[in-house]
Amino acid sequence: MPPPSDIVKVAIEWPGANAQLMEIDQKKPLSSIIREVCDGWSLSGSEQFALRYADGPQLYITEQSRSEIKNGTILRLAISPARAARQLLDRIQSHGIDTRLEALKELAKLSADPTFATEFISMEGIGTLARLVESGTHFGEMLAFTLTAFLELMDHGIVSWDLISLSFIKQIAGYVNQPMVDVSILQRSLAILESMVLNSHSLYHRVAQEITVGQLIGHLQVSNQEIQTYAIALINALFLKAPEDRRQEEHTNPLDQRLTEMASTLAQKHLRSIILNHVIRGNRPIKAEMAHQLYVLQVLTFNLLEERMMTKMDPSDQAQRDIIFELRRIAFDGENDPSGTEKRKAMYTKDYKMLGFTNHVNPAMDFTQTPPGMLALDNMLYLAKLHQDTYIRIVLENSSREDKHECPFGRCAIELTRMLCEILQVGELPNEGCNDYHPMFFTHDRAWEEFFCVCIQLLNKTWKEMRATAEDFNKVMQVVREQITRTLAMKPSSLDQLKGKLRGLSYSEILRLRQSERMSQDDFQSPPIIELRERIQPEILELIKQQRLNRLCEGSCFRKLGNRRRQEKFWFCRLSLNHKVLHYGDLDESPQGEVPFELLTDKIPVSDIKSVVTGKDCPHMKEKSALKQNKEVLEQAFSILYDPDENLNFVAPNKYEYCIWTDGLCALLGREMGSDLTRSDLDTLISMEMKLRLLDLENITIPEAPPPVPKEPSTYNFTYNYG
């Protein structure tokens, strides 16, 4: 007879004694259970003790967290959080250096525990640590452990960052500004400054006064990618929290400027070239966190365009109208304008029509819609001034065509700017967990404008290839969008490489790709082929199902979401080879390869699983789903609900792993696999199999009685490269 659901069988350790094997009744108060454990070892004062996990993070067990205890868990009897906090607080203030060092080392480990942190903070522990830092008497390991403990305690959000003193900020900034400082101290100092900026408006201003771009640039030139990542993260944090008016300010000396003038900073060649040469083109592969920070930097840089994108043109503003006059002058050499007002007006109307504006009389009206607003006019002026030959060629080339085939430059430039803003998500906040940065945008000081110049030439070329007329405008823009998005997916490393890849994606190539993809999805619609497809489908579905289950048996590493992404915590989950148990457990770092079952201390019988939920239905997404920056996290979240009323929560590292795991769990539970990946795999593999079977057939005939589904494996290998 199975044990009651409220009874959990565990082992409990105590130093120097044999472990106790106990059955814990979850209905009994935790204090009563601790008293029984103490009585088993003849220990008095049970209120001075607590239970902790023996493995993993070794967190304290509370009334709120006790439901997470599983059968077979190993626990450890330890002194209570309050008693441990008091002892450590006394020891870190002792005169003995060795005693203080050991205490700080233990404190750095315990501070990640929210129960201990609450007790330590209630004893003014954070103030004590801050004074130790401000004194300037701690160095090396002792200082590193002090900063680690401080950061872990503050990350619990129990006390406000606004309470931090100016002298503490100056001391931390001093470690960042020192030319030679221990790597561990530098890492923690950069992380503390980043947390200050992200969590306190008032501290943002104080930190911005202490740190300059030039000082952070030095940290981007080191060989340690962790330091580089922390440095870029601090730049991103300061940029993200900078007041809007300060982001747009211009300064003459970028290396000495404060980090409030971020628009000027990120446009400066020195900072960009340092990131390009020492980070992106360094001799080390880009890790996930660095890729995320580069993506954030890219997004924040493009977001500087949002103000112009959302600014309508004022038709009565002479300075803005002069820009349009300048476009006309460059294109048609307007120095020989006729003297009469009526003649000049008629010529202007004719020229504006040749320039491709929708409103020939008052082209300023073309820029009153947002987006793209004035940003489109900025792009056009950049092309006309910096790539004058290209601009004149495009305008004159189209003005000499037949009316029905001319490509309207003005209308195209405005619509293209809107499209590029959508593709690059100008004005959107960075997505948590996204690593989609493009190296080519770090290769030029005016990368956005140069990108536009490349794309407007592509648009003009595609228009000619399609022999388009004005009625085909939207069709041309759809093809151009596809050309751009396909090329961006290839991650060109430079603007020159972008041009080369776009040249290879001509209109005819797009048609070929579309036809090929269409063939793989819905070709062969004749009844015999449809019948053959239906006969093949069960075999292919079973193949996909086995691949998914095999992938679950290999297992995957998942990241635990926390307040600081660079001090990541990981856990691993994999299915047993007999498909009966899910094994999982915490890891100190991301594993390289397969994790043995014996290292995964927790498990869930598959028979206990009731359902799998995704997205906003997940228990751990209930509060996060409304946050814009958690959109991608929400889309890659899923949870296993199992008996009695418990859940195991996941956030997949990417969309592929999300599909693999949700499909695999559905297959495990005997339910339909319905992800986009499965549908894509099914269509692709059925088409491949059908083509292989049809290669030897001149005429397709379907026998009256279809043969049984073959039991031999398919004629191709279905494997993935799990990178």
Side-chain angles (χ1 to χ4, degrees):
M1 182 176 179
S5 59
D6 294 321
I7 302 298
V8 182
K9 296 181 179 181
V10 300
I12 303 177
E13 299 176 338
W14 174 253
N18 294 326
Q20 296 186 41
L21 300 179
M22 291 189 63
E23 291 187 352
I24 293 179
D25 187 347
Q26 294 284 39
K27 293 181 179 179
K28 294 177 65 175
L30 190 58
S31 57
S32 299
I33 296 171
I34 294 173
R35 188 180 306 112
E36 289 181 23
V37 174
C38 290
D39 290 343
W41 283 310
S42 301
L43 298 174
S44 59
S46 62
E47 66 279 0
Q48 297 293 317
F49 293 91
L51 291 176
R52 291 170 60 185
Y53 289 99
D55 301 316
Q58 300 181 7
L59 299 177
Y60 279 101
I61 294 168
T62 64
E63 288 288 357
Q64 292 72 32
S65 66
R66 61 184 296 180
S67 60
E68 299 175 8
I69 303 174
K70 314 296 181 190
N71 280 318
T73 301
I74 301 176
L75 306 179
R76 179 175 296 156
L77 186 66
I79 60 174
S80 68
R83 186 178 170 190
R86 171 53 60 193
Q87 289 182 1
L88 286 175
L89 193 59
D90 292 340
R91 288 165 59 196
I92 64 175
Q93 298 177 86
S94 70
H95 296 294
I97 293 179
D98 292 340
T99 301
R100 197 184 312 167
L101 177 61
E102 287 302 315
L104 287 168
K105 184 176 182 179
E106 187 175 349
L107 177 63
K109 182 178 179 181
L110 277 176
S111 294
D113 189 310
T115 308
F116 170 85
T118 301
E119 297 291 345
F120 189 81
I121 291 171
S122 69
M123 300 174 186
E124 303 296 329
I126 286 183
T128 301
L129 293 178
R131 287 190 293 273
L132 291 176
V133 174
E134 292 169 11
S135 68
T137 57
H138 284 54
F139 305 97
E141 271 192 315
M142 192 174 293
L143 178 58
F145 289 134
T146 304
L147 297 179
T148 300
F150 177 86
L151 193 53
E152 290 284 1
L153 291 167
M154 291 299 297
D155 265 357
H156 291 292
I158 299 172
V159 295
S160 171
W161 282 90
D162 289 321
L163 300 176
I164 303 303
S165 68
L166 181 58
S167 60
F168 181 86
I169 297 172
K170 287 182 175 292
Q171 191 69 38
I172 297 297
Y175 298 137
V176 173
N177 296 336
Q178 286 179 15
M180 296 293 293
V181 66
D182 184 80
V183 170
S184 57
I185 294 173
L186 181 58
Q187 282 183 351
R188 288 154 180 78
S189 298
L190 288 167
I192 289 172
L193 292 175
E194 181 196 0
S195 293
M196 288 179 182
V197 171
L198 292 176
N199 291 286
S200 170
H201 179 71
S202 61
L203 291 189
Y204 156 77
H205 292 284
R206 294 179 179 179
V207 173
Q209 291 172 356
E210 298 294 330
I211 302 294
T212 67
V213 179
Q215 290 157 346
L216 290 179
I217 279 181
H219 298 311
L220 296 177
Q221 295 173 289
V222 300
S223 59
N224 187 321
Q225 191 172 119
E226 295 290 325
I227 295 297
Q228 292 175 324
T229 304
Y230 278 95
I232 295 180
L234 179 54
I235 291 175
N236 287 338
L238 285 156
F239 187 18
L240 188 63
K241 295 298 181 179
E244 290 294 331
D245 57 333
R246 302 304 296 277
R247 293 186 195 178
Q248 306 295 336
E249 292 183 16
E250 293 293 333
H251 272 245
T252 55
N253 188 346
L255 297 187
D256 291 334
Q257 72 185 58
R258 302 297 171 181
L259 277 167
T260 47
E261 292 79 40
M262 295 306 301
S264 172
T265 299
L266 295 178
Q268 294 301 326
K269 180 177 181 180
H270 193 55
L271 177 60
R272 178 193 58 75
S273 63
I274 290 295
I275 292 175
L276 177 65
N277 295 322
H278 291 270
V279 179
I280 297 175
R281 293 179 178 172
N283 55 7
R284 298 168 305 283
I286 300 293
K287 295 181 180 179
E289 179 55 28
M290 174 60 85
H292 174 72
Q293 293 302 334
L294 291 172
Y295 154 77
V296 172
L297 185 58
Q298 172 184 290
V299 170
L300 296 179
T301 304
F302 285 144
N303 282 356
L304 292 170
L305 305 168
E306 183 181 13
E307 182 180 355
R308 294 293 284 174
M309 180 183 75
M310 301 307 296
T311 300
K312 296 181 180 180
M313 187 171 188
D314 181 0
S316 63
D317 188 319
Q318 187 59 44
Q320 295 180 4
R321 291 166 60 89
D322 286 344
I323 299 176
I324 297 178
F325 293 151
E326 181 68 5
L327 291 174
R328 175 191 167 275
R329 185 196 66 77
I330 294 173
F332 304 117
D333 190 14
E335 295 179 359
N336 300 320
D337 289 349
S339 56
T341 303
E342 291 300 322
K343 289 183 178 180
R344 186 184 302 114
K345 186 175 181 180
M347 177 173 283
Y348 283 3
T349 299
K350 178 184 176 183
D351 289 349
Y352 291 146
K353 181 179 180 182
M354 293 171 66
L355 277 170
F357 289 113
T358 303
N359 192 319
H360 308 151
V361 177
N362 185 7
M365 299 302 296
D366 287 14
F367 300 96
T368 55
Q369 184 177 354
T370 58
M374 289 295 290
L375 184 59
L377 188 58
D378 295 342
N379 286 341
M380 295 165 71
L381 184 63
Y382 182 89
L383 175 69
K385 284 186 170 294
L386 275 296
H387 299 274
Q388 195 169 110
D389 291 344
T390 299
Y391 169 69
I392 293 173
R393 176 178 56 78
I394 292 175
V395 173
L396 297 185
E397 185 180 88
N398 285 287
S399 64
S400 64
R401 290 182 191 170
E402 302 176 48
D403 283 348
K404 67 175 184 177
H405 287 300
E406 66 180 10
C407 176
F409 169 74
R411 183 184 177 191
C412 288
I414 292 170
E415 186 58 34
L416 177 63
T417 301
R418 181 188 292 110
M419 180 196 297
L420 297 183
C421 289
E422 291 174 358
I423 291 173
L424 296 176
Q425 299 180 324
V426 174
E428 297 288 328
L429 286 174
N431 283 320
E432 178 73 16
C434 182
N435 302 336
D436 189 24
Y437 79 98
H438 296 278
M440 70 176 182
F441 290 128
F442 293 86
T443 64
H444 199 284
D445 299 332
R446 304 293 294 271
W448 164 265
E449 291 87 348
E450 289 293 321
F451 184 47
F452 168 83
C453 292
V454 172
C455 292
I456 194 68
Q457 294 178 74
L458 168 73
L459 197 160
N460 187 61
K461 172 175 171 285
T462 301
W463 186 284
K464 289 189 290 185
E465 292 174 347
M466 294 178 67
R467 296 190 56 77
T469 63
E471 290 75 19
D472 301 318
F473 184 85
N474 290 333
K475 293 180 182 177
V476 175
M477 296 308 297
Q478 289 173 4
V479 172
V480 171
R481 175 186 282 270
E482 186 172 346
Q483 290 170 316
I484 293 171
T485 53
R486 283 180 182 271
T487 304
L488 286 178
M490 302 177 197
K491 293 296 178 69
S493 60
S494 67
L495 290 165
D496 287 337
Q497 195 175 103
L498 171 74
K499 296 175 187 176
K501 291 184 180 297
L502 285 173
R503 278 194 296 270
L505 275 179
S506 62
Y507 175 55
S508 59
E509 178 64 12
I510 290 293
L511 289 180
R512 189 193 68 78
L513 289 171
R514 286 179 175 179
Q515 178 69 13
S516 175
E517 290 166 1
R518 192 179 298 117
M519 287 287 289
S520 68
Q521 294 172 6
D522 57 4
D523 62 346
F524 304 134
Q525 294 302 309
S526 63
I529 298 301
I530 292 174
E531 187 172 345
L532 177 59
R533 180 186 179 93
E534 291 174 351
R535 198 188 315 160
I536 292 173
Q537 182 163 319
E539 175 189 354
I540 300 299
L541 273 175
E542 182 62 26
L543 186 66
I544 294 173
K545 174 183 175 181
Q546 291 304 317
Q547 188 271 340
R548 301 295 192 260
L549 292 174
N550 290 341
R551 185 67 185 82
L552 263 61
C553 290
E554 293 177 11
S556 296
C557 181
F558 300 91
R559 179 168 55 85
K560 289 189 173 182
L561 293 183
N563 294 329
R564 287 196 326 285
R565 302 184 72 255
R566 275 158 313 292
Q567 294 193 0
E568 294 182 312
K569 296 179 180 178
F570 302 91
W571 65 288
F572 198 89
C573 186
R574 61 181 298 198
L575 178 67
S576 63
L577 299 181
N578 61 8
H579 298 177
K580 292 185 177 181
V581 179
L582 274 176
H583 297 262
Y584 66 97
D586 293 335
L587 302 175
D588 294 331
E589 58 184 17
S590 182
Q592 301 297 321
E594 194 174 275
V595 177
F597 286 111
E598 53 267 23
L599 296 182
L600 305 176
T601 56
D602 299 306
K603 57 186 177 181
I604 301 172
V606 171
S607 59
D608 287 351
I609 298 177
K610 296 189 292 186
S611 64
V612 177
V613 294
T614 61
K616 63 183 180 181
D617 295 326
C618 298
H620 60 314
M621 291 290 114
K622 297 292 186 183
E623 298 178 358
K624 294 179 178 287
S625 59
L627 300 178
K628 187 176 184 180
Q629 56 266 43
N630 284 319
K631 180 181 177 183
E632 286 206 6
V633 174
L634 181 65
E635 292 175 348
Q636 292 166 196
F638 61 99
S639 298
I640 294 173
L641 307 183
Y642 62 100
D643 290 332
D645 290 305
E646 302 188 59
N647 54 75
L648 183 63
N649 299 319
F650 299 74
V651 175
N654 50 56
K655 192 67 176 177
Y656 174 79
E657 287 290 331
Y658 169 83
C659 293
I660 288 291
W661 273 85
T662 51
D663 280 345
L665 291 169
C666 287
L668 194 63
L669 300 177
R671 296 168 190 170
E672 182 179 353
M673 300 180 294
S675 76
D676 293 340
L677 181 64
T678 288
R679 286 191 289 271
S680 174
D681 284 347
L682 185 62
D683 288 339
T684 301
L685 297 174
I686 285 179
S687 295
M688 289 171 60
E689 180 71 7
M690 289 174 65
K691 289 171 185 176
L692 288 171
R693 294 191 182 194
L694 296 175
L695 280 177
D696 297 330
L697 299 179
E698 294 181 0
N699 297 303
I700 303 170
T701 57
I702 302 298
E704 294 182 4
V709 176
K711 298 189 179 298
E712 293 296 322
S714 195
T715 53
Y716 50 81
N717 291 323
F718 179 36
T719 59
Y720 281 93
N721 178 20
Y722 308 111

